[in-house]
Amino acid sequence: MDKKRLFNISWEDFSELNLPEKAQYLNHNRRPFHVLMAQQFDREMLDEMGSLATRIRRIAKSKAGMGFLGSLLNHKRAMLYFTQPSSRTFLSFYAACQILGLTTGEVRDASTSSEMKGESREDSVRTFSSYFDLLIMRTQIEGFVERMSWLLTNTERPVPIVNAGSARDQHPTQALLDVYTLQRSFERTGGIDGKRIAFVGDLARGRTVRSLAYLLTNYGNVKQYFVAPHQLQVTQDILDQLDSAGVEYEIASDFESIIPEVDAIYMTRIQDEWDKTPGESRAIDVSDFYFTADHLKLLRHSAVIMHPLPRREEIAVEVDSDPRAVYWRQVRNGMWIRAALIATLFRLDDEIRKYYELNMR
Ligand code: NCD
């Protein structure tokens, strides 16, 4: 039987598949080739990715360790193709590349490229890929990372693509860093299994929620709560995935009653860049879904507050100094998990583990 590889399937057939089916074409021997969606990761991969990130961050503490890490990929180049506004994810990937010694090039604005001369976006990206060994892409065009992955795999020079946020659909590396943050936060309280996690805010259009809700299906007895005004509630596609994974969830609109119930609260911003008519989401009163300083009293002692950032008013600044607010740590975790992911794509995980065993024990 033909292996499930993107060069063995037509674009038409591939695009018809559901997400778990697509994921099988993106991994080669349980290792991602392209990283496009949360569905590519199982429990074992998540555990390995987290432990690799922690090893990298420990190795990086010394000059000798940084020397080792920085030599791993100094013969490779990565392109950061970020045509949708981004600074934190851009810099997080940029820093992750630097840690591993990768040289980077960047496109931030498609209007300065030959796309303006009438070149198709596909041709532009294919041209850029000729100079690089890895493409890290953020775009607002639905399905474009998938299309490019299929297209590049079917050229004589297939270059891996990492999805750094695509339209409203997925943000797999944000979900990886969120899981890594949960792993670390619950290290002494039995890990992620059995925890209750609330998503709050714009759940209809937040791609980080879509990816993380799926990754959490890899854990046992996790209950998910979706807390939002009805106009911004979680969409059926996510619930269908939870149903088919047999995951327990609750749809809620009374934020204050959920706060004492849960082990983690994942706050999100209103994604008004997706409003169909300007100002549409401003008409929705979301103030009941803000985490205020008073809410800290309701929150369990061992619980954590997360946010993919950028934040607006949904978390009061006074909350930042509470030890349960982990969103700044989450940012830092993102850099390490992205370094771990890139190292894994280039099959360097064993080498890093060996270095760790020899030098860090
Ligand atoms: C998120 C995104 O871009 O989807 N941010 C991020 O990657 N750090 C969330 C957001 O923009 O609200």
Side-chain angles (χ1 to χ4, degrees):
M1 203 185 89
D2 278 346
K3 279 201 172 146
K4 290 195 168 161
R5 295 287 154 84
L6 286 178
F7 51 75
N8 285 330
I9 187 169
S10 70
W11 169 247
E12 287 68 29
D13 289 344
F14 179 69
S15 45
E16 293 286 304
L17 301 176
N18 65 31
L19 296 177
E21 286 167 347
K22 281 182 180 170
Q24 295 180 28
Y25 285 82
L26 304 171
N27 286 357
H28 296 179
N29 306 325
R30 299 198 62 260
R31 184 186 293 268
F33 181 77
H34 301 291
V35 180
L36 305 189
M37 54 185 71
Q39 284 73 12
Q40 287 176 254
F41 295 89
D42 61 23
R43 173 68 180 265
E44 201 181 324
M45 290 158 91
L46 294 173
D47 288 346
E48 281 172 12
M49 200 69 73
S51 85
L52 186 64
T54 298
R55 280 171 172 69
I56 293 175
R57 83 198 290 162
R58 290 189 187 145
I59 295 172
K61 284 193 197 300
S62 74
K63 190 168 163 67
M66 272 308 289
F68 160 72
L69 293 170
S71 71
L72 290 172
L73 287 171
N74 62 9
H75 56 311
K76 299 283 182 190
R77 288 176 302 281
M79 176 173 75
L80 295 154
Y81 180 92
F82 274 59
T83 54
Q84 188 188 21
S86 170
S87 313
R88 74 207 68 242
T89 305
F90 176 85
L91 283 174
S92 176
F93 270 110
Y94 181 79
C97 287
Q98 280 184 331
I99 290 166
L100 299 169
L102 276 152
T103 312
T104 53
E106 59 183 78
V107 173
R108 305 297 300 270
D109 179 0
S111 69
T112 58
S113 89
S114 290
E115 280 174 35
M116 294 310 285
K117 297 182 187 164
E119 183 178 53
S120 72
R121 189 167 274 119
E122 282 85 350
D123 277 6
S124 296
V125 175
R126 184 169 174 184
T127 306
F128 305 152
S129 77
S130 318
Y131 315 132
F132 295 96
D133 307 290
L134 171 68
L135 302 188
I136 300 166
M137 296 183 66
R138 166 172 289 207
T139 79
Q140 61 270 67
I141 305 157
E142 214 169 300
F144 186 61
V145 280
E146 277 183 21
R147 169 88 188 142
M148 264 337 290
S149 301
W150 181 85
L151 218 142
L152 287 184
T153 308
N154 284 285
T155 66
E156 72 280 10
R157 194 167 177 279
V159 176
I161 295 188
V162 175
N163 175 5
S166 70
R168 276 165 297 180
D169 35 281
Q170 289 251 359
H171 196 348
T173 64
Q174 176 71 44
L176 288 176
L177 79 89
D178 294 336
V179 161
Y180 182 43
T181 303
L182 291 166
Q183 286 169 347
R184 289 173 74 79
S185 302
F186 300 142
E187 219 159 23
R188 284 184 204 86
T189 53
I192 299 176
D193 295 307
K195 296 292 189 289
R196 286 143 298 183
I197 297 172
F199 294 97
V200 185
D202 191 343
L203 311 181
R205 304 175 293 184
R207 57 194 173 189
T208 66
V209 173
R210 172 166 281 101
S211 292
L212 180 56
Y214 186 84
L215 276 196
L216 290 174
T217 65
N218 285 297
Y219 293 85
N221 292 321
V222 168
K223 180 170 177 187
Q224 304 191 24
Y225 297 76
F226 299 98
V227 189
H230 68 93
Q231 302 94 320
L232 301 174
Q233 251 310 348
V234 64
T235 49
Q236 193 56 40
D237 61 322
I238 300 186
L239 299 180
D240 287 345
Q241 288 183 7
L242 300 188
D243 284 335
S244 63
V247 168
E248 201 188 338
Y249 60 82
E250 191 175 316
I251 311 272
S253 55
D254 181 3
F255 184 33
E256 285 195 352
S257 72
I258 299 295
I259 296 172
E261 297 284 311
V262 297
D263 303 289
I265 297 189
Y266 191 93
M267 301 294 298
T268 65
R269 122 188 119 80
I270 304 304
Q271 311 272 317
D272 46 15
E273 66 272 36
W274 296 105
D275 279 359
K276 291 199 184 77
T277 51
E280 175 187 316
S281 40
R282 226 173 304 139
I284 307 169
D285 181 10
V286 288
S287 55
D288 285 346
F289 299 86
Y290 290 170
F291 196 101
T292 65
D294 284 344
H295 288 147
L296 287 168
K297 294 196 286 288
L298 299 174
L299 189 67
R300 281 166 191 247
H301 184 66
S302 58
V304 291
I305 310 161
M306 297 170 66
H307 195 305
L309 303 179
R311 144 176 76 181
R312 290 180 181 168
E313 302 93 330
E314 59 276 356
I315 303 179
V317 177
E318 297 88 288
V319 174
D320 291 12
S321 54
D322 190 281
R324 292 166 293 180
V326 299
Y327 29 93
W328 303 115
R329 264 179 263 166
Q330 214 179 328
V331 181
R332 185 103 178 135
N333 289 341
M335 178 177 76
W336 300 117
I337 204 82
R338 287 178 173 121
L341 177 69
I342 295 169
T344 303
L345 294 180
F346 285 100
R347 300 176 175 273
L348 292 164
D349 34 327
D350 281 346
E351 201 173 329
I352 295 171
R353 281 176 210 284
K354 264 189 220 130
Y355 180 94
Y356 189 86
E357 293 304 314
L358 280 173
N359 298 284
M360 310 292 295
R361 289 259 177 192

